[in-house]
Amino acid sequence: MAKSTQLADNEVFRAYATYTAIVLLKMMLMSLITAYYTITRKAFVNPEDTASFGKGDSAKKYLRTDADVERVRRGHLNDLENIVPFVGIGLLYALSGPELSTALLHFRIFTGARILHTFAYLIPLPQPGRGLSWAVGYAVTFSMAYKVLKTVLLL
Ligand SMILES: N[C@@H](CCC(=O)N[C@@H](CS)C(=O)NCC(=O)O)C(=O)O
């Protein structure tokens, strides 16, 4: 086995890497779900994607938007708006020397909140389910940013 680097020996960094990989994989799954809905609903947004259904008007009817496909796309966009900040701020946070238990709490709550947000958006669950899951994830990232600034602030 290759020799581990110092970062991989740091438990907080390992926790960060673990949960970051989980939420990024979850976000990547949104592409597959989008593709599934696009194909099963036969709702395409690019003319070239309908080519296999023939030419002219027979293919044109598949060039449309579908409520379910758009819902997954909005869920994916919301992941981008929230998971990308988590990845950046989470890395700075992991390097700012937090307690392992506190860091794990942040990472676990964020990951759980984003998974819940996806279920709430796709099922869909009645509000405020989605709103609350979004707010919890957002608050976790905010809390990590606060800790980073409290630790390293240099203006
Ligand atoms: N870009 C978001 C900003 C606010 C936000 O993320 N709200 C959460 C809780 S209501 C959400 O799930 N928004 C739905 C979405 O982004 O499509 C929006 O337009 O709603």
Side-chain angles (χ1 to χ4, degrees), residues 24-35 72 76 118:
L24 287 176
L25 283 172
K26 192 226 72 69
M27 189 167 83
M28 287 170 69
L29 185 65
M30 300 305 274
S31 300
L32 295 182
I33 300 174
T34 306
V72 187
H76 196 167
T118 300

Side-chain angles (χ1 to χ4, degrees), residues 65-116:
T65 54
D66 174 88
D68 292 330
V69 177
E70 293 311 306
R71 181 173 282 280
V72 187
R73 288 159 76 95
R74 288 196 301 276
H76 196 167
L77 181 61
N78 197 275
D79 271 352
L80 281 165
E81 290 173 7
N82 291 276
I83 291 175
V84 171
F86 170 83
V87 172
I89 292 171
L91 176 61
L92 299 177
Y93 172 76
L95 298 175
S96 71
E99 286 292 329
L100 176 63
S101 58
T102 314
L104 274 172
L105 196 67
H106 279 82
F107 301 154
R108 285 173 180 161
I109 292 176
F110 180 85
T111 303
R114 288 317 301 178
I115 291 171
L116 264 180

